[in-house]
């Protein structure tokens, strides 16, 4: 099955929130800091204010959003704020497809944070060319968990060989 990401729309917020809630529920180390309503309102604002890309697949018998990526530009460069895949559809190329979409949308590179305990995400990012830039003790994130800063520095230019 070929996965074709599409630009998310504000009307997608409920399915995007479903992915976010399910994915984070599968991370038992995360503290529960917000109510269900607060979390869903947060994701609604993400779909309204950030550039969101979604990947759809058949989930529970019907086409549904099964993953999303949210990116935005800052004066310090582009950031991948969220990349979540519904646990029922992980390891089916959705993450790679969305990450490739982000690379296409931000060819100059981007940065992202992930929790140090999220070893699956860390392996995934490293396998797909992102570089660990820094580890922190988590004092600056809401969850207060140690995190890792990753960077994708854009496509590598060919070196060596003959130049015209």
């Amino acid at each position: 099955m070929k996965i074709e990401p599409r630009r998310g729309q504000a009307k997608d917020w409920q399915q995007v929130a479903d992915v976010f809630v399910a994915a984070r529920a599968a991370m038992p180390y995360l503290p529960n800091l917000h109510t269900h309503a607060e979390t869903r309102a947060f994701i609604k604002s993400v779909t309204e204010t950030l550039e969101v890309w979604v990947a759809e697949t058949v989930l529970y018998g019907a086409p549904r959003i099964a993953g999303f990526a949210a990116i935005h530009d800052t004066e310090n460069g582009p950031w991948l704020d969220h990349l979540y895949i519904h646990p029922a559809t992980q390891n089916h190329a959705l993450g790679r497809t969305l990450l490739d979409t982000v690379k296409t949308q931000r060819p100059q590179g981007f940065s992202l944070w992930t929790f140090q305990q999220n070893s699956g995400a860390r392996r995934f990012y490293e396998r797909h060319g992102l570089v660990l830039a820094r580890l922190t003790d988590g004092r600056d994130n809401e969850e207060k968990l140690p995190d890792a800063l990753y960077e994708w520095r854009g496509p590598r230019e060919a070196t060596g060989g003959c130049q015209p």
Side-chain angles (χ1 to χ4, degrees):
M1 169 177 60
K2 186 163 171 58
I3 303 162
E4 292 290 337
R6 67 169 173 83
R7 182 73 184 261
Q9 302 171 13
K11 69 180 177 113
D12 294 325
W13 78 268
Q14 291 178 325
Q15 288 187 44
V16 170
D18 291 344
V19 170
F20 183 81
V21 168
R24 289 183 64 99
M27 299 178 210
Y29 53 85
L30 289 179
N32 191 6
L33 300 176
H34 301 284
T35 67
H36 188 70
E38 289 169 336
T39 298
R40 294 183 75 78
F42 167 70
I43 292 300
K44 186 173 191 282
S45 73
V46 165
T47 63
E48 294 169 344
T49 60
L50 300 183
E51 180 180 334
V52 175
W53 290 86
V54 299
E56 295 175 307
T57 190
V58 175
L59 183 63
Y60 305 124
R64 303 248 331 143
I65 292 172
F68 75 97
I71 51 181
H72 82 282
D73 297 313
T74 72
E75 61 187 39
N76 296 321
W79 282 90
L80 173 56
D81 291 286
H82 303 284
L83 177 60
Y84 287 96
I85 306 300
H86 192 285
T89 59
Q90 288 179 355
N91 301 311
H92 290 96
L94 293 169
R96 182 187 70 226
T97 299
L98 285 167
L99 185 61
D100 286 348
T101 299
V102 173
K103 289 177 177 180
T104 299
Q105 295 301 312
R106 298 300 185 279
Q108 72 275 29
F110 56 87
S111 301
L112 66 87
W113 289 102
T114 192
F115 296 108
Q116 289 184 35
Q117 286 177 272
N118 194 346
S119 57
R122 294 183 65 191
R123 283 191 308 272
F124 169 80
Y125 291 130
E126 291 170 8
R127 188 171 56 245
H128 293 284
L130 281 78
V131 176
L132 177 64
R134 182 167 43 123
L135 298 174
T136 78
D137 62 7
R139 79 178 69 182
D140 293 329
N141 67 53
E142 182 179 36
E143 295 84 356
K144 303 300 181 212
L145 294 174
D147 51 10
L149 176 65
Y150 279 87
E151 295 176 345
W152 184 68
R153 298 177 181 149
R156 303 269 187 242
E157 290 187 28
T159 59
C162 298
Q163 298 294 322

